[in-house]
Amino acid sequence: MTYTFQVTIDSNDPHVLADWWADALGWEVEPTDEAFIRRMVETGQASEDDTTTHRGALVWKAGTAIRHPEGADRAPRVLFQLVPEPKTVKNRVHLDIRTGSDDPQAVVERLIAKGAVRLHEGRQGPFTWTTLADPQGNELCVTG
């Protein structure tokens, strides 16, 4: 048997971080079904405390996801889930942004301008990368 997977990132503000990553990758935030959320609250299957408003839309407080514009067959979705504790140590798993024909340093500078922090440069044989931290401190690498 084979399985599919999604990548899950803990966050203290999942909707804001999902927006940042969607922009960084050129992906899209999954749409929210406000009518469904309202029905869940009205029927007692969820409470108002389970919801919040983000960019004027009613959303689940627990989190949101982003996806590749060509769909789940192209790449796994990334889920951003609400957790109470801040990030405290180095990630054991991180995302590598592979820029293809785009200039990796231009991508690095764009992400820094949007709130990323440069951590260090790396090199192993012919491979080079820049390690950044997203606005909530999660490491990521940018490579060509």
Side-chain angles (χ1 to χ4, degrees), residues 4-124:
T4 61
F5 68 93
Q6 69 182 3
V7 176
T8 303
I9 298 176
D10 292 346
S11 170
N12 59 10
D13 197 347
H15 296 278
V16 170
L17 195 58
D19 289 345
W20 189 89
W21 275 98
D23 180 70
L25 296 172
W27 287 22
E28 54 195 34
V29 175
E30 289 184 349
T32 298
D33 185 345
E34 288 189 54
F36 172 75
I37 295 171
R38 290 186 198 290
R39 265 193 325 276
M40 296 295 284
V41 171
E42 288 168 6
T43 61
Q45 297 179 54
S47 74
E48 291 289 339
D49 288 342
D50 296 323
T51 69
T52 190
T53 302
H54 178 69
R55 294 188 180 217
L58 184 67
V59 296
W60 292 115
K61 189 183 293 183
T64 190
I66 64 172
R67 63 182 178 206
H68 191 283
E70 295 176 23
D73 290 340
R74 180 69 168 88
R77 82 197 281 256
V78 180
L79 173 70
F80 297 86
Q81 69 179 5
L82 180 65
V83 297
E85 67 277 353
K87 181 183 173 300
T88 57
V89 297
K90 181 184 183 302
N91 296 11
R92 295 287 298 194
V93 175
H94 66 268
L95 301 183
D96 284 348
I97 297 177
R98 298 179 298 183
T99 63
S101 61
D102 290 348
D103 175 20
Q105 288 309 309
V107 172
V108 165
E109 295 309 318
R110 181 175 67 83
L111 296 178
I112 289 171
K114 293 189 172 283
V117 174
R118 183 186 313 264
L119 299 178
H120 57 82
E121 306 292 324
R123 180 180 197 92
Q124 188 171 23

